[in-house]
Amino acid sequence: MANLSVNIAGVQFDNPIIAASGTIGFGHEYGELYPLSVFGGISCKGTTLKERPGNPPPRIAETPMGMLNAVGLQNPGVEHFIHTELPWLKKQNTVVIANAAGSTEEDYCKIVEILSDTDVDMIELNISCPNVKEGGAQFGTSPESVAKITAAVRKYCTKPLIIKLSPNVADIAAVAKAAEFSGADAVSLINTLTGMRIDINTRRPIIKNITGGMSGPAVFPVAVRMVWQVKKAVKIPVIGLGGITTWQDAVEMIMAGADAIQIGTVLFTDPYAPIKIAEGLHGYLDSHEIDSVTQLTGTVEV
Amino acid sequence: MPGKTLRRPISVCDVEGDEIRIVFEIRGEGTAILAASEVGSTINIIAPLGNGFEIDQSKKTIFIGGGIGVPPMLYSARTAGENSVVINGFRDKSAVILTEDFQKIGCRVIETTDNGSYGIHGFVTDPLKEVIADADMICACGPTPMLRNIAKAAKEHHIPCFVSLEQRMACGVGACLGCAVGIRKEDGGLRYKHVCKDGPVFNAEEVDW
Ligand SMILES: Cc1cc2nc3c(=O)[nH]c(=O)nc-3n(C[C@H](O)[C@H](O)[C@H](O)COP(=O)(O)OP(=O)(O)OC[C@H]3O[C@@H](n4cnc5c(N)ncnc54)[C@H](O)[C@@H]3O)c2cc1C
Ligand SMILES: Cc1cc2nc3c(=O)[nH]c(=O)nc-3n(C[C@H](O)[C@H](O)[C@H](O)COP(=O)(O)O)c2cc1C
Ligand code: FES
């Protein structure tokens, strides 16, 4: 059987399939269905310095082949994460990635400093959450702001640092280059695309926050395009995500340039997707006589 | 749900042996797809999820269902037995469902329609006024304005009241934090619980109406 293991910024993953932040919480719920080691890694729910209550409901709207969410970074705070969630997660035989968010540069530096002092395997910096007013997303919107926050955080970060990129930008390659230049060890993309839906009977937005982040199969082609552009622009590993639903999508994303992938929304459609995607990847690699999934990365011929 | 990204939350209406019964209304595309399933075909479900009403047969319980909130009450009402009172409210005569199933329980069953085309003319809260005084507990499921009014009446009479709430869902298991419901903390502050995992049944006292 082909080798599915990958190495991202010095961290070894048994397979390239990572659970996307915000879609699996801290693993307990899906961990009741199967061992979390079916994932090469888990990116935990976006965590902030202090507990955040999140946005008022409704937070979810379905869209054609996708969904909007405006959860608003509801989370119990970094101390709770470290003391209550992390010890259990570390026993699950999967790479544990902390997803860190904040409202100010100081917040980001502080939380990264705190997380650097723990057993988390990697830190993913969420500078692209579209659902909180004063925070997150504005750091991810231009190459300059991404360079600034990455450089600031880098000083406090002793763990491998993944910068999670927003697709809501004019030139994704320039943003990725800025992250690489300023010290990122890897980039992950894409976070959600800002969207909106209206209930035509009440004339009100379905989501209380008005806008929400779009994810799911509908965003997949956008994600593939962006991963391809970023792979050409940077040398650091690229983690591709956005709408991956089947093993065929996973192969496509890897061919576009992903060294590893994340899956999120598909877990809601089919909780067993990670197992099916891993089986499909094995089957594809074996039938094409490819020894290792790493040989597939960026093999699109243009 | 073929062709859809999200699953649809549907309550268990009844359980018999190894069979579960669901009763649902066609509201949009997803429930239309579900309704078009052929007899004998397979559908993919995750169940059971969340909590339910805690029934105590020694208590006189009033079960109140509004519209498509009626089916989720059947199993609980039967478990509670003859001592309970059921009040089911519907839009009009064409929307009335499960009358016989509830009558088979042997308890008192009151039915209302908003326009008076069947049963009592009015809302479920009208007959509730007459039976609320000697109840020990209220369990209810239905549209939010109805639940809010029931919660208010229960509070006035100092009767414990439990409500089954609806919210738009994604994961259905407590991982995505999508299906939030506002809960009043003792200090007056607000926090969110989740309908799929902490609910759908909540103590009406703690809900931020
Ligand atoms: C805990 C719970 C139990 C329920 N039990 C029943 C039941 O036993 N019988 C029944 O007929 N209905 C029940 N509902 C309501 C049912 O889930 C919705 O009518 C259904 O999801 C509508 O889907 P649709 O595709 O037909 O409509 P659409 O409007 O096309 O759906 C679009 C999206 O909105 C969501 N949505 C729309 N209305 C609701 C709603 N009222 N609550 C939650 N999500 C909604 C859908 O799930 C979907 O994601 C329940 C809802 C909840 C939360
Ligand atoms: C309900 C929900 C919550 C999310 N929360 C976070 C979060 O806390 N931090 C983050 O970086 N991304 C978050 N995301 C974005 C996902 O991690 C991912 O980037 C996006 O959904 C695209 O991938 P997908 O189409 O496979 O879901 C969230 C997505 C969803 C659907
Ligand atoms: S639907 Fe995901 S937490 Fe309830």
Side-chain angles (χ1 to χ4, degrees), chain A residues 29 53 56 59 62 65-66 269, chain B residues 5-6 8 173 177 192 197:
Chain A
E29 293 79 17
R59 296 175 173 182
E62 200 178 45
M65 297 317 289
T269 318
Chain B
T5 299
L6 301 178
R8 297 297 185 267
V173 297
L177 310 183
Y192 293 107
K197 193 178 184 182

Side-chain angles (χ1 to χ4, degrees), chain A residues 22 25 29-30 53-60 62 65-66 71 74 206 265 268-269 271, chain B residues 3-8 46 167-171 173-178 180 192 194 197:
Chain A
E29 293 79 17
Y30 289 100
N55 290 332
R59 296 175 173 182
I60 303 284
E62 200 178 45
M65 297 317 289
V71 170
Q74 177 180 347
I206 292 178
T265 301
F268 309 152
T269 318
Chain B
K4 291 282 163 190
T5 299
L6 301 178
R7 292 164 178 269
R8 297 297 185 267
I46 312 177
Q167 193 45 261
R168 288 170 184 261
M169 295 187 179
C171 72
V173 297
C176 75
L177 310 183
Y192 293 107
H194 298 279
K197 193 178 184 182

Side-chain angles (χ1 to χ4, degrees), chain A residues 105-246:
Chain A
E105 192 174 298
E106 294 75 54
D107 280 2
Y108 276 104
C109 292
K110 185 93 194 134
I111 191 168
V112 162
E113 186 179 20
I114 294 170
L115 287 167
S116 287
D117 221 16
T118 68
D119 295 344
V120 300
D121 297 304
M122 306 178 96
I123 298 174
E124 181 175 57
L125 208 64
N126 176 7
I127 50 168
S128 41
C129 178
N131 299 327
V132 285
K133 281 201 184 61
E134 72 304 333
Q138 87 271 18
F139 294 102
T141 48
S142 71
E144 295 74 29
S145 58
V146 171
K148 186 162 181 291
I149 190 89
T150 306
V153 161
R154 184 73 264 182
K155 289 191 211 115
Y156 297 89
C157 189
T158 57
K159 302 279 182 185
L161 178 65
I162 306 166
I163 303 289
K164 184 162 178 178
L165 306 181
S166 168
N168 304 309
V169 296
D171 182 353
I172 191 80
V175 175
K177 268 189 192 160
E180 177 181 49
F181 178 78
S182 308
D185 297 308
V187 287
S188 57
L189 68 154
I190 58 176
N191 206 321
T192 52
L193 284 146
T194 308
M196 177 171 171
R197 294 221 66 184
I198 299 165
D199 181 331
I200 59 167
N201 294 312
T202 62
R203 294 195 188 193
R204 287 176 191 278
I206 292 178
I207 289 192
K208 184 82 177 181
N209 187 53
I210 302 176
T211 60
M214 183 167 168
S215 62
V219 309
F220 181 65
V222 177
V224 170
R225 183 264 293 178
M226 289 191 161
V227 165
W228 175 67
Q229 289 176 325
V230 165
K231 187 63 181 182
K232 289 189 298 177
V234 300
K235 295 200 174 57
I236 52 177
V238 176
I239 302 171
L241 73 151
I244 295 172
T245 306
T246 61

Side-chain angles (χ1 to χ4, degrees), chain A residues 3-20:
Chain A
N3 183 358
L4 287 192
S5 70
V6 296
N7 187 300
I8 304 291
V11 179
Q12 194 69 20
F13 291 72
D14 286 345
N15 73 53
I17 305 161
I18 303 167

Side-chain angles (χ1 to χ4, degrees), chain A residues 60-62, chain B residues 1 4 6-13 22-32 68-69 71-72 141 164-169 195 200:
Chain A
I60 303 284
E62 200 178 45
Chain B
M1 183 88 13
K4 291 282 163 190
L6 301 178
R7 292 164 178 269
R8 297 297 185 267
I10 302 286
S11 301
V12 174
C13 165
I22 60 170
V23 175
F24 65 91
E25 180 179 53
I26 298 179
R27 282 281 180 82
E29 289 178 16
T31 42
I68 204 60
C141 181
S164 183
L165 301 179
E166 287 189 351
Q167 193 45 261
R168 288 170 184 261
M169 295 187 179
V195 172

